[in-house]
Amino acid sequence: MTSPPRFRDPGWSRDHFIDTVLVRCPRCSGPARVAPASLPPGITHPSPHARRTLTCLACGLSRYTKDSTLRFHWSSPTDPCFQAPLWFQAETRHGLLWAYNREHLELIRRFVASTLRERDPWYEPGRKMTLLARLPAWVKRSRNRTEVLRAIERLQRLPIDPTPM
């Protein structure tokens, strides 16, 4: 059995993953999206502080933020705009594993599956407390690798189609 390739921390923060956040719809509990409300012409990547909209294709719910304030809670699996519960959540015996979207979940999966994890040396410029550095210790422990990867597989199988649950 070959070990997964080495993993190098890309140095991303939480802002990298909040363009589109998948949440539970407050009305029907189905999958809903929180995304930038609208982008000016010529802008392809929205500001982290752009106004957002929550939309559910299953029940038609649509909500807009009144301001651009983001409230992050590292210990709480909610989106930073509407405080709606995240769609990707899995309970393990060590704690709750969560992700903002599939891209975030894939980054965590690659990190956990890797046996050699590298990050920038302390003298390199850039963020020292990246999103991966802020993961709970139980997610990073090699003895929990199998259980965490099983939880990630369950989350990857969650449907994202607009059918109510």
Side-chain angles (χ1 to χ4, degrees), residues 1-7 109-117 145 149:
M1 180 175 170
T2 61
S3 64
R6 68 177 50 183
F7 178 86
R109 187 201 63 75
R110 287 188 5 241
F111 174 78
V112 170
S114 176
T115 55
L116 177 60
R117 303 169 184 163
R145 181 177 290 130
L149 288 174

Side-chain angles (χ1 to χ4, degrees), residues 14 71-80 83 98 100:
R14 62 188 177 205
R71 291 177 294 291
F72 288 98
H73 304 286
W74 284 108
S75 61
S76 175
T78 58
D79 94 281
Q83 304 305 307
W98 55 268
Y100 289 123

Side-chain angles (χ1 to χ4, degrees), residues 23 27 49 67 69 80 83 85 96 105 121 123 127 148 154:
V23 298
R27 186 186 294 162
H49 303 289
D67 59 10
T69 304
Q83 304 305 307
L96 187 65
L105 191 63
Y123 52 82
R127 292 188 171 92
V148 173
R154 284 195 315 264

Side-chain angles (χ1 to χ4, degrees), residues 82-136:
F82 296 94
Q83 304 305 307
L86 296 178
W87 181 249
F88 293 117
Q89 295 184 46
E91 189 67 45
T92 69
R93 65 186 166 127
H94 305 287
L96 187 65
L97 181 69
W98 55 268
Y100 289 123
N101 51 37
R102 285 203 187 273
E103 183 185 11
H104 184 197
L105 191 63
E106 178 59 20
L107 179 72
I108 295 171
R109 187 201 63 75
R110 287 188 5 241
F111 174 78
V112 170
S114 176
T115 55
L116 177 60
R117 303 169 184 163
E118 299 176 352
R119 60 184 210 175
D120 288 335
W122 65 270
Y123 52 82
E124 288 290 326
R127 292 188 171 92
K128 299 304 177 203
M129 287 303 288
T130 64
L131 189 106
L132 292 174
R134 291 179 184 265
L135 283 173

Side-chain angles (χ1 to χ4, degrees), residues 21-93:
V21 178
L22 296 172
V23 298
R24 280 199 188 280
C25 175
R27 186 186 294 162
C28 72
S29 295
R33 295 189 195 297
V34 175
S38 62
L39 293 175
I43 303 294
T44 57
H45 189 70
S47 161
H49 303 289
R51 292 188 59 203
R52 308 276 169 172
T53 181
L54 183 148
T55 52
C56 177
L57 295 177
C59 70
L61 178 70
S62 181
R63 293 185 180 165
Y64 295 90
T65 55
K66 293 182 178 21
D67 59 10
S68 59
T69 304
L70 299 176
R71 291 177 294 291
F72 288 98
H73 304 286
W74 284 108
S75 61
S76 175
T78 58
D79 94 281
C81 299
F82 296 94
Q83 304 305 307
L86 296 178
W87 181 249
F88 293 117
Q89 295 184 46
E91 189 67 45
T92 69
R93 65 186 166 127

